[in-house]
Amino acid sequence: MAKLWGGRFTKSTNKLVDEYTASISYDQELAKEDIEGSLAHVQMLGECGVVTEEEAKTIQQGLRTILKKVEDGEAHFSTDMEDIHMNIEKMLIDEIGPVGGKLHTGRSRNDQIATDMHLYMRKKTNVLIDLLEDVQYALLEQAKANVDTILPGYTHLQRAQPISFAHHLLAYFWMFERDKGRLLDSIKRINVLPLGAGALAGTTFPINRRRVAELLDFDDVYPNSMDAVSDRDFVVEALADCSLIMVHLSRLSEEMVLWSSQEFQFIELDDAFCTGSSIMPQKKNPDVSELLRGKTGRVFGHLVGLLTVLKGLPLAYNKDMQEDKEGIFDTVKTLEGALQLLAPILETMTVKKDRMRHAVEKDYSNATDIADYLAKKGLPFREAHEVTGKMVLYAIENKKYLLDLDLEEYKQFNSLFEEDIFEALKPENVMRARESEGGTAPHQIEKQLKLAETKLHQNHEN
Ligand code: ARG
């Protein structure tokens, strides 16, 4: 098949070169964005008199016919036409004749692909924001149902202090809130139009970039044509934002793997979201959570991959930049898959309140509260800490928990202890006592829940 750029060549391209340089196998993902950009471009060309209004209309009709074929899965893409731009231009010429060849006036594939990527990133960033919100809703619902559910909070994966399960879940709510904030902020930089930059230096045609920006709903145009065609910062930024989302997803997934283990038994995942073992009939594996955790690797890889592609590239466009696509496409798919599953997994999991409660009773996670008790009675905290440490040691040696010791034993360590120490050390009181702003006391959690709800509503109004 004749190349759209064949004029300068006397030989046909080596087959392997065709295959090696073609991007159509994956950039067909951008078919709709490519047509959307072309529709706006030719509209502007018609308005500016670069092509006649009639030619513009004919081209737009042709593009819409192709769009319909793309949507119906009837478009046939070919490696001979290398990439999405030339495939669609070829289809257009086949559809409406030589006038289709006027579409590419005043633009280059360099500003075209940059525009496609901007349109793609904007669409997908909004999808990811919505999916993050679904997860936030699921976390919020579980949190509301578990304000009074007590479990050990951990540091170093050692039992530290009793906390509310709602508090633990809400920690993830706020991570995803920051993730959403980053994505929302990135839209400012995505919403800038490269088209009109031409190959690198601008164009000799009397185009109107602002008009194209308006038609495509961009807030601004790139002020420098060389930057416009060689910038992929917004893709790197999306990969970085997605990497951080994966960090958060992976941490939550790890906790779900731990919690659903025989050792913890804090939650049970719904059968619909677990898988079995081909050999061990008793098993119910948290495969989805594990994969969620595991897929973090490929997303980090794509981030480092693109950073490496871009590093040291001279201005302006270089073919290397075609390597921006598969990584971000895979990243978006990976995140869509993960977030779509996480919301229902959270919604359907069973919280084993009794097991959590039992864990808190059989540990020393109320020790800080003994030290706090003494400190409130005037003993310097450092001394109170020392006394309590000795008591923990004594209790362990006597195979007891702190609530099993009697007042006499308490008084042997310090005369400041009174009967009320036993009330203070009960898990719910230990939890309730953490009344400081952002603490795990139920009263503080209620405030947090309200704030979380307000945030979700605010985002919806924007
Ligand atoms: N397929 C190319 C890409 O994805 C489109 C731009 C190609 N431009 C060029 N002059 N070869 O980057």
Side-chain angles (χ1 to χ4, degrees):
M1 225 185 281
K3 298 271 193 267
L4 293 179
W5 42 254
R8 186 232 176 276
F9 290 77
T10 52
K11 279 188 184 175
S12 57
T13 323
N14 180 296
K15 195 74 205 127
L16 290 175
V17 171
D18 267 343
E19 280 162 18
Y20 195 69
T21 56
S23 52
I24 188 61
S25 64
Y26 49 86
D27 68 11
Q28 51 184 275
E29 173 96 25
L30 299 170
K32 285 188 199 163
E33 283 76 14
D34 198 73
I35 295 172
E36 194 187 342
S38 289
L39 282 168
H41 175 67
V42 77
Q43 166 86 23
M44 176 279 290
L45 290 182
E47 289 171 10
C48 293
V50 177
V51 300
T52 67
E53 291 279 354
E54 208 186 296
E55 286 168 336
K57 286 227 160 57
T58 311
I59 292 173
Q60 284 183 321
Q61 269 162 17
L63 286 170
R64 290 203 181 94
T65 308
I66 298 166
L67 181 60
K68 177 92 176 60
K69 282 189 191 155
V70 169
E71 283 168 350
D72 296 346
E74 278 162 17
H76 174 73
F77 301 108
S78 125
T79 306
D80 290 328
M81 285 297 118
E82 192 180 322
D83 59 23
I84 188 62
H85 322 302
M86 292 195 290
N87 266 272
I88 287 179
E89 190 175 325
K90 177 76 170 48
M91 283 180 211
L92 181 70
I93 294 169
D94 289 347
E95 184 74 31
I96 62 171
V99 64
K102 293 202 171 192
L103 169 63
H104 210 53
T105 315
R107 78 173 184 193
S108 144
R109 278 187 293 155
N110 299 350
D111 54 349
Q112 191 181 356
I113 186 60
T115 303
D116 290 6
M117 290 301 283
H118 276 262
L119 289 169
Y120 170 84
M121 245 21 282
R122 180 169 68 190
K123 176 175 83 183
K124 290 302 187 181
T125 300
N126 283 309
V127 168
L128 292 177
I129 289 171
D130 284 348
L131 289 172
L132 279 170
E133 280 197 355
D134 293 345
V135 171
Q136 284 184 303
Y137 270 109
L139 286 166
L140 200 61
E141 286 311 306
Q142 279 291 4
K144 280 189 204 159
N146 285 288
V147 175
D148 294 317
T149 307
I150 304 179
L151 79 164
Y154 295 80
T155 62
H156 313 267
L157 202 56
Q158 305 287 321
R159 291 186 189 175
Q161 291 172 352
I163 52 156
S164 148
F165 190 47
H167 200 50
H168 199 130
L169 293 172
L170 285 172
Y172 287 99
F173 177 97
W174 297 113
M175 289 180 222
F176 295 131
E177 186 62 22
R178 291 194 294 275
D179 290 333
K180 251 172 36 188
R182 266 182 286 274
L183 290 176
L184 278 167
D185 189 69
S186 76
I187 291 179
K188 285 186 217 153
R189 288 168 292 281
I190 292 173
N191 253 344
V192 181
L193 178 77
L195 206 66
L200 76 165
T203 172
T204 56
F205 292 95
I207 59 164
N208 182 350
R209 297 182 67 203
R210 300 276 159 187
R211 176 66 179 137
V212 180
E214 184 185 37
L215 288 167
L216 292 176
D217 205 17
F218 282 102
D219 299 327
D220 208 349
V221 302
Y222 274 80
N224 181 306
S225 60
M226 295 183 76
D227 185 35
V229 289
S230 65
D231 174 30
R232 292 294 181 276
D233 294 359
F234 64 102
V235 183
V236 173
E237 202 177 335
L239 289 167
D241 292 347
C242 288
S243 294
L244 202 40
I245 294 173
M246 288 307 292
V247 170
H248 298 152
L249 290 176
S250 151
R251 293 181 75 172
L252 177 54
S253 299
E254 166 65 8
E255 301 222 72
M256 294 178 81
V257 171
L258 286 173
W259 291 339
S260 61
S261 71
Q262 203 66 36
E263 283 65 23
F264 278 80
Q265 294 180 51
F266 283 179
I267 60 169
E268 180 164 352
L269 297 173
D270 193 90
D271 273 9
F273 296 101
C274 290
T275 51
S277 156
S278 60
I279 169 169
M280 298 163 284
Q282 85 282 10
K283 295 205 64 187
K284 178 169 159 184
N285 295 329
D287 280 28
V288 177
S289 305
E290 294 167 73
L291 264 178
L292 252 143
R293 192 176 58 186
K295 282 183 187 287
T296 308
R298 65 204 290 159
V299 176
F300 290 5
H302 295 320
L303 170 62
V304 176
L306 184 58
L307 285 169
T308 312
V309 165
L310 296 174
K311 179 199 167 291
L313 282 188
L315 290 181
Y317 178 84
N318 299 271
K319 186 75 166 179
D320 314 45
M321 290 163 67
Q322 181 167 293
E323 286 291 305
D324 62 351
K325 288 174 199 60
E326 286 163 290
I328 187 66
F329 293 166
D330 182 66
T331 295
V332 167
K333 269 180 208 128
T334 302
L335 266 93
E336 282 175 343
L339 295 167
Q340 267 163 19
L341 273 167
L342 185 56
I345 289 180
L346 286 165
E347 278 157 14
T348 56
M349 73 181 183
T350 308
V351 179
K352 297 182 167 174
K353 301 186 182 196
D354 293 348
R355 285 283 314 178
M356 291 180 175
R357 167 80 210 197
H358 182 75
V360 151
E361 276 160 9
K362 299 286 169 254
D363 70 8
Y364 298 87
S365 64
N366 47 3
T368 313
D369 292 69
I370 297 186
D372 284 0
Y373 177 96
L374 292 174
K376 281 174 194 156
K377 297 208 167 186
L379 197 64
F381 182 79
R382 193 47 56 214
E383 284 171 45
H385 186 287
E386 174 78 16
V387 170
T388 310
K390 293 212 166 82
M391 290 180 67
V392 170
L393 193 61
Y394 169 86
I396 292 173
E397 277 167 356
N398 289 280
K399 299 200 167 38
K400 286 179 178 177
Y401 294 104
L402 294 166
L403 269 174
D404 302 333
L405 306 179
D406 59 28
L407 190 57
E408 220 161 279
E409 289 171 296
Y410 271 86
K411 282 196 182 286
Q412 277 168 20
F413 286 93
N414 194 294
S415 56
L416 289 169
F417 285 117
E418 301 294 344
E419 195 61 41
D420 60 352
I421 183 64
F422 298 108
E423 243 345 88
L425 292 189
K426 286 188 181 152
E428 36 289 295
N429 292 334
V430 168
M431 182 175 91
R432 255 178 228 141
R434 280 163 176 75
E435 263 289 355
S436 52
E437 187 173 352
T440 192
H443 176 62
Q444 285 299 327
I445 295 175
E446 294 298 346
K447 281 194 194 169
Q448 219 189 125
L449 284 169
K450 275 210 186 76
L451 189 64
E453 264 176 352
T454 318
K455 287 275 178 203
L456 280 181
H457 291 316
Q458 263 173 9
N459 292 336
H460 271 272
E461 278 153 24
N462 288 342

